[in-house]
């Protein structure tokens, strides 16, 4: 419990890197869906090609139905850059909007409808916290070349830190290639912020016996000898949504639906990944359902809104949430209320930019280097 409270505090503190925190005006707080939809459509008609809306897979229906593109975070950022719209409204969380700002042209402005949408996992590895840990880790293994890798689900300043230390960014689908890149250039990998993705990647590479875990919230629990002896150091962070899944959930699904297949995200615990039939990114999960035969049953271990979307988009496939009614949504994504989308679009119509996400130039350049290194692989 103490660790969770600390993580949540880190997440809140991360918001203060932006000085444009704005709350939803009271006149927008009681809009019903019909009025909201009408006003969003009217604003989009007025703005035309000047705006593109990105809807992450984990967003609620009322957001994705207005999106020009729906997908995972990095894919959406690339589509925004290719769209060449003046304004990019990102229905996602802070680190995603930062990535879009890094990738898009300088004359494109990225807007996050609600600045409260800050990923808890990204907040578990703030750059200042990592700076301190880096000093301890490198002191524990002074003769080793340590290459840091950060998951895409991290803030721009952490991406910049990794670049400055010879490291790179990865996605859930290319993490194994990022590890291979790092080991070609160094002796050890520090992987952050998601320990489960890191552990699953280590298993994929046959390196499951070479892991140490670094808990930044437990000063007494760090073992310098273990760090010195291990090739992979995993930061003790996790996704609150994906860590919720248990092996028992898979067993229950198989008991109730003997014909069911199970697909889970690699942010899930190791034992869940081992028990699943298919493991992959949100894109892989979507492709798995898209290519399923009519009548097949698939239980999905990921954020509940994506499961709900796939149920709607593929009614000929029996799509089940892996943990039933206990499955949860992403509490950061939840902050992108459709009323916020209405507000920022109507403000753009009036020539006012709200909740602009702008990464500092030096940070942006370095984070871009980390992304470029990922593209090399």
């Amino acid at each position: 419990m103490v660790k969770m409270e600390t993580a949540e505090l880190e997440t809140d503190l991360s918001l203060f890197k932006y000085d444009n925190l704005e709350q939803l005006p009271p006149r927008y707080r009681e809009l019903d869906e019909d009025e909201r939809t009408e006003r969003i459509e009217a604003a989009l008609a007025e703005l035309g090609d000047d705006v593109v809306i990105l809807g992450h897979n984990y967003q609620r229906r009322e957001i994705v139905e207005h999106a020009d593109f729906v997908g995972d975070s990095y894919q959406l950022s690339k589509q925004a850059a290719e769209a060449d719209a003046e304004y990019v409204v990102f229905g996602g969380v802070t680190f995603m909007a930062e990535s879009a700002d890094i990738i898009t042209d300088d004359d494109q402005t990225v807007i996050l409808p609600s600045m409260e949408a800050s990923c808890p996992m990204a907040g578990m590895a703030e750059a200042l916290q990592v700076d301190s840990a880096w000093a301890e880790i490198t002191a524990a293994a002074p003769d080793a070349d340590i290459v840091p890798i950060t998951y895409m689900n991290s803030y721009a300043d952490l991406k910049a830190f990794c670049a400055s230390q010879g490291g790179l960014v990865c996605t859930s689908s290319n993490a194994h290639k990022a590890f291979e890149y790092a080991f070609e250039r160094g002796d050890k990998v520090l992987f952050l912020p998601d320990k489960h993705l890191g552990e699953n990647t280590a298993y994929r590479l046959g390196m499951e016996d070479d892991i140490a875990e670094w808990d930044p919230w437990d000063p007494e629990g760090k073992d310098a000898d273990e760090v010195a002896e291990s090739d992979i150091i995993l930061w003790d962070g996790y996704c609150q949504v994906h860590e919720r899944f248990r092996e028992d959930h898979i067993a229950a699904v198989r008991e109730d639906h003997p014909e069911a297949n199970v697909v889970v995200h690699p942010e899930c615990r190791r034992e869940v990944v081992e028990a699943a039939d298919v493991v992959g990114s949100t894109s892989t999960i979507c492709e798995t359902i898209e290519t399923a035969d009519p009548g097949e049953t698939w239980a999905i271990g990921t954020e509940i809104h994506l499961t709900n979307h796939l149920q709607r988009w593929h009614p000929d496939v029996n799509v089940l949430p892996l943990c039933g009614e206990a499955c949860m949504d992403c509490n950061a994504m939840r902050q992108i209320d459709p009323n916020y989308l209405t507000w920022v679009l109507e403000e753009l119509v009036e020539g006012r930019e709200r909740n602009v996400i702008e990464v500092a130039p030096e940070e942006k350049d370095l984070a871009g280097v980390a992304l470029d290194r990922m593209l090399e692989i």
Side-chain angles (χ1 to χ4, degrees):
M1 179 62 72
V2 172
K3 183 184 296 185
M4 280 302 306
E5 291 172 354
T6 305
E8 288 165 2
L9 176 61
E10 293 287 351
T11 301
D12 292 338
L13 289 175
S14 72
L15 294 173
F16 291 101
K17 65 174 72 177
Y18 298 101
D19 58 7
N20 55 344
L21 297 178
E22 296 186 83
Q23 297 298 317
L24 186 69
R27 66 184 182 277
Y28 282 91
R29 295 176 187 173
E30 303 299 329
L31 299 179
D32 62 38
E33 184 169 355
D34 289 341
E35 179 183 2
R36 182 175 62 220
T37 298
E38 181 178 342
R39 291 172 63 168
I40 289 173
E41 290 177 352
L44 290 175
E46 183 76 18
L47 293 166
D49 294 337
D50 288 340
V51 66
V52 61
I53 297 181
L54 310 179
H56 191 269
N57 283 314
Y58 297 167
Q59 271 298 344
R60 66 185 87 184
R61 171 189 59 80
E62 296 92 334
I63 298 295
V64 300
E65 68 185 3
H66 296 295
D68 296 286
F69 301 105
V70 179
D72 60 32
S73 60
Y74 186 59
Q75 168 198 351
L76 290 172
S77 294
K78 291 191 295 183
Q79 288 171 318
E82 293 166 1
D84 200 32
E86 182 179 356
Y87 295 105
V88 176
V89 178
F90 209 132
V93 295
T94 311
F95 78 79
M96 298 178 186
E98 287 184 337
S99 294
D101 185 55
I102 293 165
I103 292 172
T104 53
D105 292 337
D106 291 341
D107 58 358
Q108 291 180 280
T109 299
V110 178
I111 289 173
L112 187 66
S114 171
M115 297 295 281
E116 300 291 338
S118 185
C119 171
M121 179 166 66
M124 292 180 186
E126 297 278 1
L128 286 175
Q129 184 184 35
V130 174
D131 281 340
S132 175
W134 182 255
E136 294 181 68
I137 291 168
T138 52
D143 298 324
D145 290 326
I146 304 174
V147 179
I149 303 172
T150 186
Y151 188 23
M152 186 67 70
N153 299 27
S154 58
Y155 293 117
D157 51 8
L158 183 51
K159 294 180 173 73
F161 168 85
C162 287
S164 71
Q165 300 297 335
L168 71 163
V169 176
C170 74
T171 65
S172 58
S173 59
N174 66 23
H176 63 293
K177 293 183 179 180
F179 273 57
E180 291 168 351
Y181 174 100
F183 281 119
E184 288 172 0
R185 292 159 175 79
D187 306 310
K188 299 178 184 290
V189 163
L190 169 63
F191 185 79
L192 12 68
D194 186 356
K195 64 182 178 182
H196 296 310
L197 177 59
E199 182 180 15
N200 289 322
T201 303
Y203 269 80
R204 178 171 180 170
L205 297 174
M207 301 182 69
E208 62 271 18
D209 296 326
D210 296 318
I211 297 173
E213 192 169 299
W214 187 268
D215 185 347
W217 295 277
D218 183 8
E220 305 301 323
K222 300 164 186 169
D223 189 333
D225 291 336
E226 188 179 13
V227 168
E229 294 168 2
S230 301
D231 292 334
I232 298 172
I233 306 159
L234 302 179
W235 189 268
D236 189 14
Y238 52 88
C239 170
Q240 294 169 319
V241 170
H242 290 103
E243 196 184 54
R244 188 180 183 87
F245 296 107
R246 299 289 190 274
E247 194 175 1
D248 290 348
H249 294 138
I250 296 180
V253 162
R254 296 198 193 283
E255 182 175 350
D256 294 340
H257 304 274
E259 78 288 2
N261 300 293
V262 177
V263 55
V264 303
H265 197 280
E267 290 177 17
C268 292
R269 296 168 182 266
R270 178 66 204 158
E271 59 270 22
V272 173
V273 166
E274 289 180 333
D277 299 295
V278 178
V279 181
S281 64
T282 54
S283 295
T284 297
I285 292 171
C286 292
E287 290 166 7
T288 298
I289 304 305
E290 288 167 5
T291 58
D293 292 332
E296 284 187 2
T297 298
W298 283 89
I300 301 180
T302 193
E303 205 272 350
I304 190 62
H305 283 117
L306 177 56
T307 302
N308 293 338
H309 298 330
L310 292 171
Q311 286 175 324
R312 290 196 309 275
W313 297 339
H314 304 284
D316 57 340
V317 180
N318 185 22
V319 178
L320 307 172
L322 181 56
C323 55
E325 294 183 359
C327 289
M328 64 186 293
D329 63 353
C330 172
N331 56 14
M333 290 283 181
R334 189 189 309 146
Q335 304 306 316
I336 306 294
D337 186 283
N339 291 352
Y340 274 94
L341 179 61
T342 311
W343 171 53
V344 296
L345 290 175
E346 290 188 339
E347 288 292 280
L348 285 178
V349 170
E350 297 300 322
R352 295 185 289 267
E353 300 173 356
R354 302 295 187 184
N355 292 345
V356 172
I357 297 292
E358 189 171 10
V359 179
E362 183 178 354
E363 231 173 66
K364 188 172 185 175
D365 290 343
L366 273 173
V369 169
L371 289 167
D372 288 341
R373 289 175 181 160
M374 179 184 74
L375 296 178
E376 291 178 22
I377 64 176

